[in-house]
Amino acid sequence: MSWDYRVDGSVVVWDLTGFTDPSADDYDRLLDRYEAELARSGVTGTVVHMHDRDEVSGVTFDFLQAFVSVTEAVGVDRVACVSEGDAKVAVFGGIHDADFDTHVGEDLDEAVAWARGSMGAAAPSEELAERSQTD
């Protein structure tokens, strides 16, 4: 189980593709680093590149609100979630009402450009919004 990140201008890009079945302690360590990196001067967006599975663990749901709270507290404007699996739908369901713009998709480069503000605010598709409310 691993995770990594990089700072790409004003965007922090998180590689969580190897972060599967995390424990609460794993999330605590990630949340500490997440908060420290997002609090850096000039960071306005973040991209979370998730595994390509179709589900997320119960621990993920438990910590999702903590990630939202940190993101809102540090004032990040844009959060993108990237995955080829349906896990992104579940995550979208937990963050779409937060106080930041959200983007969910499958293309990492597109998500980074969106988080930078290089692309207009992308409203989630109606299908994705409906799926996140029923899943």
Side-chain angles (χ1 to χ4, degrees):
M1 168 157 354
S2 65
W3 53 269
D4 199 6
Y5 68 94
R6 73 179 195 277
V7 179
D8 187 343
S10 63
V11 176
V12 182
V13 181
W14 300 89
D15 181 353
L16 304 184
T17 56
F19 196 62
T20 56
D21 301 320
S23 70
D25 288 340
D26 295 329
Y27 267 111
D28 285 339
R29 285 188 289 280
L30 176 59
L31 186 59
D32 288 345
R33 176 52 51 197
Y34 182 81
E35 183 172 18
E37 292 303 319
L38 265 57
R40 293 166 56 125
S41 177
V43 172
T44 60
T46 191
V47 176
V48 178
H49 188 191
M50 297 178 54
H51 57 75
D52 292 338
R53 294 163 57 184
D54 288 336
E55 69 279 335
V56 294
S57 70
V59 175
T60 299
F61 281 111
D62 293 343
F63 279 86
L64 197 52
Q65 189 55 48
F67 284 96
V68 168
S69 295
V70 166
T71 305
E72 291 175 332
V74 299
V76 167
D77 299 323
R78 292 177 167 218
V79 175
C81 178
V82 176
S83 172
E84 291 182 16
D86 283 341
K88 65 184 173 285
V89 176
V91 171
F92 173 77
I95 67 172
H96 75 280
D97 286 333
D99 192 22
F100 46 77
D101 292 334
T102 57
H103 171 83
V104 179
E106 296 182 1
D107 186 278
L108 182 60
D109 293 333
E110 178 182 299
V112 171
W114 177 85
R116 265 195 215 112
S118 301
M119 299 173 62
S125 70
E126 288 182 24
E127 175 191 356
L128 182 59
E130 288 174 18
R131 287 174 63 193
S132 69
Q133 293 173 7
T134 60
D135 291 345

